[in-house]
Amino acid sequence: MITARAHTNIALVKYWGKKDQQLIIPQTDSLSLTLSEFYTDTGVEFTDGLTTDQIQIDGQSITGHAADKVKNFLNLVRQISGINRYAKVVSTNHVPMSAGLASSASAFAALATAASKAAGMNLDRRSLSRLARRGSGSATRSIYGGLVEWHRGTDNASSFAEPVMENLDFGIEMIAILINTSKKKVSSRHGMQSSVTSSPYYPAWRKVVAHDMIAIKEAIKNKDIDQIGHIAEENALRMHALTLSADPGYTYFTGDTIRAIQAVNHLRSQGISCYYTMDAGPNVKVIYDRKNREKIIQSLGEIFGKEKLIISQPGPGVKIINK
Ligand code: 2P0
């Protein structure tokens, strides 16, 4: 069995919409930070004697929609590699306190890496990034560590990620505030498509991302955490405006999401710089310079409880962790 470890990522410039739903070609570029604290280990073995793929996640055999997504992905790997055996897949999510932050990004980045290797292929990172993309868009970026850009491209060959800065030495850090860990009502896949087809703001979003990609790469070059955080915060709010402006409109925010936003704004008004971002769920992630960590923990801990705060550093790219 070949086992790979991939870390999840938080988008600072978000991916929210596909141009090609089959190949998962996005409407826009995006840029993320890979995170040290949240990762998935996935083992894959193609063996004789199986009559179907066997998939186990966190100790449970899975069936239904989640299993179908994995089987479709394994079909793709079989098609590319020419292998004709079924696979045994064993996957474990490492997320502190079973926080509900497990993500398809780390899952499909680990699966792409383990399955392609188990099928006898030796793919380079760019090819792994393309392959991971076919499982889930955000997985495209989780092949690499640090700050990572996904070029939207126009076809399978041109849509892949690459690192912007892999080893980060300028103190950027993130706290995840665990607000609600129950399963979301609107999946990202459905939600983003609804935004593409029904939000009148979608054309403006494409322009926002084109602008933010240039600005954030400049901020990264300057190692300017305030500028990175500011761009990420505005980009997140504008992504969430696409959910509110869809038909039917919806939101991933809860009351506690707003409370967290207000808490970050309050910290900033006190001269402690930190910035928020949210994905397709209510949890809020706070980006800041690690020199401000204690003050931020103190303040957010008073509101949410320190046990609800998880600190994460920038994380590494995908690795095979056995032979
Ligand atoms: C992102 N998100 O850039 C954005 C921001 C959530 C909000 O990518 O349909 O699970 O599998 O390609 O990657 C979540 O969507 O969606 C996501 P699919 P995915 O990280």
Side-chain angles (χ1 to χ4, degrees):
M1 179 165 272
I2 302 288
T3 302
R5 173 171 297 175
H7 290 71
T8 190
N9 67 76
I10 175 81
L12 304 179
V13 177
K14 311 284 188 192
Y15 146 58
W16 198 246
K18 298 177 181 68
K19 213 163 206 163
D20 182 325
Q21 296 184 68
Q22 186 63 33
L23 288 174
I24 313 197
I25 310 291
Q27 290 270 353
T28 63
D29 298 340
S30 55
L31 189 144
S32 59
L33 175 65
T34 302
L35 299 171
S36 63
E37 284 304 294
F38 313 104
Y39 61 92
T40 302
D41 287 343
T42 299
V44 179
E45 186 177 22
F46 290 95
T47 60
D48 290 324
L50 292 179
T51 53
T52 183
D53 293 314
Q54 289 182 357
I55 302 147
Q56 200 187 84
I57 299 180
D58 296 331
Q60 306 267 4
S61 283
I62 61 156
T63 54
H65 180 64
D68 289 343
K69 270 178 91 167
V70 176
K71 287 178 187 179
N72 288 340
F73 190 83
L74 292 168
N75 285 339
L76 179 66
V77 172
R78 279 186 281 261
Q79 185 197 321
I80 297 169
S81 66
I83 209 166
N84 58 10
R85 294 189 293 273
Y86 286 108
K88 193 172 168 195
V89 176
V90 180
S91 189
T92 313
N93 290 301
H94 293 263
V95 179
M97 304 186 290
S98 57
L101 292 180
S103 110
S104 60
S106 53
F108 280 99
L111 181 64
T113 305
S116 59
K117 183 87 177 166
M121 291 186 287
N122 261 319
L123 300 181
D124 61 18
R125 294 201 298 174
R126 183 170 294 184
S127 304
L128 282 175
S129 165
R130 287 191 193 97
L131 179 61
R133 193 197 76 234
R134 305 287 293 273
S136 185
S138 49
T140 314
R141 301 182 306 240
S142 267
I143 298 299
Y144 302 97
L147 289 156
V148 183
E149 171 180 18
W150 175 12
H151 303 284
R152 70 184 186 280
T154 51
D155 56 12
N156 183 53
S158 57
S159 188
F160 56 82
E162 64 182 348
V164 174
M165 198 182 274
E166 279 215 88
N167 297 307
L168 306 183
D169 59 358
F170 56 95
I172 194 167
E173 206 169 84
M174 194 203 75
I175 292 172
I177 308 173
L178 304 180
I179 283 174
N180 184 327
T181 57
S182 60
K183 202 170 150 53
K184 57 192 168 204
K185 291 193 183 74
V186 182
S187 72
S188 311
R189 193 158 287 194
H190 179 80
M192 67 173 75
Q193 209 47 36
S194 155
S195 296
V196 172
T197 56
S198 70
S199 170
Y201 302 160
Y202 206 84
W205 168 249
R206 284 200 206 89
K207 288 191 190 138
V208 162
V209 174
H211 172 270
D212 288 353
M213 287 298 295
I214 294 167
I216 204 164
K217 282 190 277 182
E218 185 63 23
I220 291 167
K221 205 186 293 166
N222 297 331
K223 303 186 176 182
D224 185 340
I225 296 179
D226 283 306
Q227 196 55 24
I228 294 169
H230 173 70
I231 295 164
E233 188 173 292
E234 282 216 308
N235 185 273
L237 288 173
R238 288 169 180 181
M239 183 211 109
H240 286 275
L242 295 174
T243 73
L244 294 166
S245 57
D247 182 9
Y250 61 98
T251 183
Y252 293 109
F253 291 5
T254 63
D256 277 343
T257 309
I258 305 287
R259 280 216 299 163
I261 288 174
Q262 288 169 337
V264 169
N265 285 337
H266 177 70
L267 274 162
R268 224 153 53 209
S269 74
Q270 305 289 301
I272 301 156
S273 76
C274 53
Y275 303 85
Y276 56 81
T277 182
M278 296 75 57
D279 277 342
N283 295 312
V284 174
K285 287 97 175 180
V286 183
I287 302 154
Y288 57 93
D289 187 322
R290 68 171 166 245
K291 68 176 195 270
N292 293 329
R293 184 198 296 155
E294 293 319 315
K295 285 179 186 149
I296 295 170
I297 292 272
Q298 181 61 32
S299 176
L300 295 178
E302 279 170 18
I303 302 170
F304 297 98
K306 283 191 181 162
E307 72 287 356
K308 298 279 187 194
L309 309 178
I310 302 176
I311 302 168
S312 183
Q313 311 294 328
V318 71
K319 274 190 213 66
I320 302 276
I321 55 171
N322 70 336
K323 276 283 172 193

